[in-house]
C-alpha cells in the first residue's frame, strides 16, 4: 500500500508530550515537519528538546550524527496556523488539549488552510473520532492516529476510523505509520478504542480488591508482576501515569458505555484524585515518593513445615507443576482435582468462587491458589483460605509452596483471587471488543502487547487457559458478586461451547 510521500510536509499541532514526539517521528521519517502550538514558546522549547533527543540518539549509535542533524533541520515552528496555506501538507496530526470543542474548532480552521487532498488526523486518546469529525465539510479525510507515550519509542499506533472516514484514507495513514517504523492496528471509533478499553479490568480488578481490603497495594502489585508476568502492577503503574489521567479514561469509557458495571470507576482512586495524590508527579499516590521514604515491603507468608506427603485426587492443572517443583512425595487417586493435606484440609485452584463456598461444598476447610501466567517460572503465588480454616492448614500450604520455590501472599477470601480475575476479565474484555467489531483478533492482541506491554495478548491468553475454563470462572465470579460486572460476553460463551479459538476471525 502506498504511504505518504516523504516529499510532502507534515504538520503537527500541539507541542506537548505527544505532539513533540509525533513531530520527531515524522521528521526522522524524512518529512519536512511544521510544529504549531497556541503557546509559541512551548513550540520553540519542544523543537530544542527534539534536537537534544536526536543528538542523544546519535550518541547511542541509533542514527548517525548527519541523520540526526538532518532530521532536526526538517522541523520548523509554524508561527500562525494560517501560514499552513500553500505549504502543500499531506497530513496534519492534531495533539492539542483533550477537549471535543477545542478540537472541532481547530479542524474547522484547518479545513480552510489546507489543500483538499490533505489528511486530517487526531491523536485523541478517548474522544470519538466520529464526533470530532462531524462538523467537517469533508469528514472522509478525517481519521484517528493514536500514538502512545513516548511516541518516538512506543511502536503501536491505533488507526481509528470514524463512521465517515474514507477507507482509502485509513489505508494510506496505516501505510504511513508503517513507513515511519510503527506497528499500526485498524480500530473502529468506539469508546477507548482497543487499548484503553480492553485494559480497564487490569486497573479495576486491583482497585476493587484493594477497596474490599483483600490485600494492600504493594501485595497486589507484587502478585500481578511475579505470578501474572505483568511488567508493573496496577498501583505503581497508575502512580506513574497519573491517577487523574487514568481516572478520566475510566470515567470516559464508563460514561460512553452507559455506566456499564464492567467499567465502574474506583472509589479509592476518586479519593486519591480529590486529595491531589496523583502519583509520582505530586510526590504521592498509592505510594509515597517523598525523599527518604521507601516503598513498603511485601509481607510474605511465614512458611509452615513442608508436609511429608500429600494425597492428590484427580488432575491438578497448573498446581501439579508447583507440586512437582516442591518435591513432596505424592499419592495419586482419582477425584475432582484437590490436594488433601495431612491436617485433612484441602488445597485446590481458584475457579472464580469463594474458598468458603468450595469448603462448604467439600465439607472441609479449603485453601485456593491463584491462576499463574506460567507455573514453571512463577516466583510468587496468592492463596486464600476459607472462613475459619485452621492455621495448621495454611501452614501446610505455605510450607508446600515454599518448597516449590515460590513466595506466598495470603489474601482475603476474594473470589477469583488476583491474577485469575484480572486475566479472566481481560480475556472477556478483548472478546467483547472482537464481538463488537472494534478490531480484528490479531490486531487486538498486537495492540495489547505493544500498547500495554502485557506478556501475552489477551485472546491468546484465553486460548491457553481454555475458553471454557474462563467462562466457568467468570460465571462463578458473577454468582459471587451478582452485579453484572462479570457477565460473560456471548461470543466468549459461543467460542467455549464450540471449541473455536478466540483468535479466529468472526
Ligand atoms: P499536553 O498538555 O502536554 O500538550 C498539549 C499542547 O497543546 C500544549 O502545548 C498546548 O499549549 C497546546 N494547545 C492547546 N490548545 C491548543 C490549540 N487550540 N491550538 C494549538 N495548540 C494548543 O498534552 P499531551 O499529553 O501531549 O496530549 C495531547 C493529545 O494527545 C490529547 O488529545 C491527549 O488525549 C492525546 N494523547 C495523550 C497521551 C499521553 O500519554 N499524554 C497518549 C496518547 C494520546
Amino acid at each position: 500500500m502506498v504511504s505518504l510521500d516523504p516529499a510532502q510536509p507534515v504538520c503537527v499541532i500541539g507541542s506537548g508530550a505527544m505532539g513533540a514526539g509525533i513531530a520527531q517521528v515524522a521528521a526522522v521519517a524524512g518529512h519536512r515537519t511544521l510544529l504549531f502550538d497556541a503557546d509559541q514558546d512551548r513550540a520553540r522549547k519542544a523543537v530544542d528538546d527534539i534536537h537534544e533527543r536526536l543528538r542523544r540518539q546519535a550518541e547511542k549509535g541509533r542514527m548517525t550524527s548527519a541523520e540526526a542533524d538532518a532530521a532536526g533541520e526538517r522541523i520548523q515552528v509554524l508561527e500562525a496556523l494560517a501560514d499552513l496555506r500553500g505549504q502543500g501538507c499531506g497530513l496534519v496530526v492534531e495533539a492539542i488539549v483533550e477537549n471535543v470543542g477545542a478540537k472541532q474548532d481547530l479542524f474547522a480552521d484547518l479545513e480552510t488552510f489546507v489543500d483538499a487532498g490533505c489528511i486530517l488526523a487526531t491523536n485523541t486518546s478517548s474522544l470519538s473520532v466520529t464526533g470530532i469529525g462531524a462538523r467537517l465539510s469533508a469528514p472522509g479525510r478525517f481519521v484517528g492516529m493514536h500514538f502512545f507515550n513516548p511516541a518516538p519509542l512506543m511502536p503501536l499506533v491505533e488507526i481509528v476510523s470514524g463512521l465517515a472516514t474514507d477507507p482509502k484514507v485509513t489505508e494510506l495513514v496505516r501505510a504511513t505509520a508503517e513507513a515511519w517504523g510503527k506497528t499500526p492496528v485498524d480500530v473502529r471509533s468506539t469508546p477507548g478504542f482497543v487499548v484503553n478499553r480492553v485494559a480497564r479490568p487490569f486497573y479495576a480488578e486491583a482497585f476493587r480488591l484493594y477497596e474490599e481490603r483483600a490485600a494492600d497495594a504493594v501485595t497486589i502489585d507484587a502478585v500481578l508482576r511475579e505470578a501474572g508476568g505483568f511488567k508493573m502492577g496496577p498501583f505503581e503503574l497508575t502512580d506513574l501515569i497519573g491517577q487523574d489521567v487514568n481516572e478520566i479514561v475510566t470515567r470516559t469509557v464508563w460514561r460512553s458505555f452507559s455506566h456499564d458495571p464492567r467499567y465502574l470507576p474506583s472509589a479509592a482512586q476518586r479519593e486519591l484524585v480529590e486529595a491531589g495524590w496523583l502519583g509520582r508527579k505530586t510526590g504521592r499516590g498509592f505510594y509515597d515518593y517523598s525523599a527518604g521514604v521507601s516503598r513498603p515491603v511485601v509481607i510474605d507468608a511465614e512458611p509452615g513445615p513442608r508436609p511429608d506427603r500429600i494425597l492428590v485426587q484427580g488432575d491438578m492443572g497448573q498446581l501439579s507443576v508447583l507440586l512437582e517443583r516442591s518435591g513432596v512425595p505424592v499419592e495419586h487417586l482419582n477425584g475432582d482435582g484437590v490436594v488433601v493435606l495431612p491436617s485433612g484440609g484441602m488445597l485446590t485452584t481458584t475457579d472464580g468462587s469463594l474458598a468458603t463456598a468450595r469448603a462448604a461444598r467439600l465439607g472441609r476447610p479449603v485453601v485456593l491458589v491463584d491462576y499463574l501466567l506460567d507455573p514453571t517460572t512463577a516466583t510468587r503465588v496468592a492463596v486464600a483460605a476459607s472462613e475459619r480454616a485452621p492455621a495448621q492448614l495454611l501452614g501446610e500450604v505455605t510450607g508446600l509452596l515454599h518448597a516449590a520455590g515460590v513466595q506466598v501472599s495470603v489474601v482475603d477470601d476474594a473470589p477469583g483471587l488476583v491474577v485469575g480475575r484480572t486475566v479472566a476479565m481481560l480475556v472477556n474484555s478483548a472478546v467483547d471488543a472482537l464481538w463488537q467489531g472494534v478490531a480484528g483478533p490479531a490486531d487486538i492482541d498486537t495492540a495489547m502487547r505493544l500498547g500495554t506491554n502485557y506478556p501475552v495478548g489477551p485472546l491468546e491468553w484465553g486460548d491457553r487457559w481454555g475458553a471454557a475454563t474462563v467462562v466457568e470462572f467468570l460465571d462463578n465470579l458473577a454468582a459471587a458478586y451478582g452485579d453484572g460486572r462479570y457477565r460473560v460476553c456471548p461470543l466468549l460463551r459461543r467460542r467455549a461451547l464450540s471449541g473455536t479459538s478466540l483468535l479466529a476471525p468472526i
Side-chain angles (χ1 to χ4, degrees):
M1 180 62 214
V2 183
S3 57
L4 196 67
D5 183 347
Q8 281 191 285
V10 167
C11 177
V12 179
I13 313 228
S15 62
M18 293 311 293
I22 297 165
Q24 182 180 330
V25 171
V28 168
H31 297 272
R32 189 160 80 83
T33 304
L34 307 169
L35 186 58
F36 176 76
D37 198 293
D39 178 345
Q40 286 283 301
D41 289 342
R42 212 161 168 196
R44 278 190 280 272
K45 164 95 173 49
V47 173
D48 290 345
D49 291 348
I50 295 169
H51 286 165
E52 177 58 23
R53 283 204 297 268
L54 289 168
R55 200 182 53 72
R56 268 187 271 129
Q57 291 288 311
E59 265 171 23
K60 288 182 188 156
R62 303 215 174 105
M63 57 175 67
T64 65
S65 307
E67 284 166 344
D69 289 347
E73 278 163 23
R74 282 194 284 269
I75 303 180
Q76 259 176 278
V77 170
L78 194 71
E79 303 286 329
L81 208 53
D83 293 347
L84 266 181
R85 281 203 186 96
Q87 298 279 358
C89 277
L91 171 67
V92 179
V93 184
E94 165 276 314
I96 67 164
V97 58
E98 186 76 336
N99 175 291
V100 185
K103 288 185 195 281
Q104 284 180 330
D105 290 347
L106 174 72
F107 283 110
D109 285 345
L110 280 172
E111 263 195 320
T112 65
F113 299 143
V114 297
D115 303 338
C118 176
I119 293 172
L120 300 177
T122 175
N123 181 50
T124 181
S125 49
S126 62
L127 302 171
S128 159
V129 169
T130 303
I132 299 171
R135 279 176 20 197
L136 292 177
S137 56
R141 61 160 148 174
F142 185 67
V143 68
M145 241 184 144
H146 182 210
F147 288 82
F148 289 73
N149 192 12
L153 298 182
M154 293 290 278
L156 184 69
V157 185
E158 289 182 315
I159 309 294
V160 189
S161 298
L163 261 189
T165 307
D166 181 341
K168 287 200 196 73
V169 168
T170 307
E171 272 181 48
L172 193 131
V173 170
R174 185 187 167 103
T176 302
E178 240 165 31
W180 291 2
K182 298 294 172 190
T183 306
V185 292
D186 281 330
V187 175
R188 221 159 48 80
S189 175
T190 47
F193 312 139
V194 169
V195 173
N196 279 335
R197 169 190 181 141
V198 174
R200 284 351 292 153
F202 180 68
Y203 312 108
E205 292 311 310
F207 294 165
R208 181 171 235 188
L209 288 168
Y210 175 86
E211 283 162 12
E212 292 173 354
R213 302 184 173 268
D216 55 13
V218 76
T219 301
I220 297 171
D221 273 351
V223 169
L224 282 160
R225 276 195 320 267
E226 297 167 40
F230 293 93
K231 290 261 181 344
M232 288 178 94
F235 298 94
E236 52 194 351
L237 181 56
T238 49
D239 268 0
L240 182 68
I241 294 170
Q243 297 302 336
D244 51 340
V245 173
N246 184 264
E247 196 208 22
I248 285 173
V249 178
T250 300
R251 286 193 172 269
T252 306
V253 172
W254 180 57
R255 223 182 14 251
S256 309
F257 283 114
S258 310
H259 300 168
D260 185 334
R262 271 186 190 148
Y263 303 106
L264 188 70
S266 149
Q269 187 175 44
R270 181 87 288 265
E271 195 179 15
L272 284 187
V273 174
E274 282 168 352
W277 293 11
L278 306 182
R280 283 179 181 269
K281 63 187 174 186
T282 58
R284 182 143 202 183
F286 280 106
Y287 299 112
D288 187 348
Y289 299 92
S290 316
V293 178
S294 45
R295 181 81 59 90
V297 287
V298 187
I299 311 285
D300 297 324
E302 198 53 51
R306 192 184 99 140
D308 292 336
R309 58 187 304 106
I310 51 176
L311 182 65
V312 171
Q313 299 182 341
D315 177 12
M316 296 309 306
Q318 282 198 331
L319 191 49
S320 63
V321 179
L322 292 181
L323 298 180
E324 202 169 307
R325 279 174 64 180
S326 77
V328 172
V330 171
E331 187 184 335
H332 287 280
L333 284 178
N334 288 337
D336 292 334
V338 289
V339 178
V340 184
L341 290 138
S343 67
M346 289 179 164
L347 171 67
T348 187
T349 309
T350 172
D351 65 357
S353 43
L354 291 161
T356 307
R358 301 283 289 276
R361 250 180 282 142
L362 292 163
R364 306 235 199 141
V366 165
V367 172
L368 296 181
V369 293
D370 199 1
Y371 173 75
L372 298 166
L373 167 65
D374 181 355
T376 60
T377 56
T379 53
R380 175 176 300 280
V381 65
V383 303
S386 55
E387 289 272 341
R388 300 190 187 284
Q392 190 192 351
L393 173 61
L394 255 183
E396 289 167 336
V397 168
T398 50
L400 176 70
L401 294 172
H402 213 253
V406 289
Q407 293 294 344
V408 180
S409 293
V410 179
V411 304
D412 194 31
D413 184 10
L417 274 67
V418 182
V419 181
R421 65 155 69 189
T422 303
V423 174
M425 284 296 276
L426 288 174
V427 172
N428 200 35
S429 177
V431 176
D432 201 56
L434 176 64
W435 187 47
Q436 295 187 0
V438 180
D443 275 358
I444 289 175
D445 268 14
T446 300
M448 298 316 290
R449 277 191 298 96
L450 300 183
T452 58
N453 257 324
Y454 289 170
V456 188
L459 297 173
E460 186 188 337
W461 214 338
D463 273 351
R464 280 195 202 174
W465 194 359
T469 312
V470 176
V471 166
E472 186 193 344
F473 197 99
L474 289 167
D475 281 342
N476 289 333
L477 269 168
Y481 280 103
D483 59 2
R485 173 178 176 125
Y486 300 99
R487 69 185 189 282
V488 174
C489 168
L491 180 65
L492 178 56
R493 204 176 285 284
R494 265 160 50 186
R495 296 254 160 130
L497 288 167
S498 66
T500 310
S501 164
L502 301 182
L503 280 161
I506 286 202

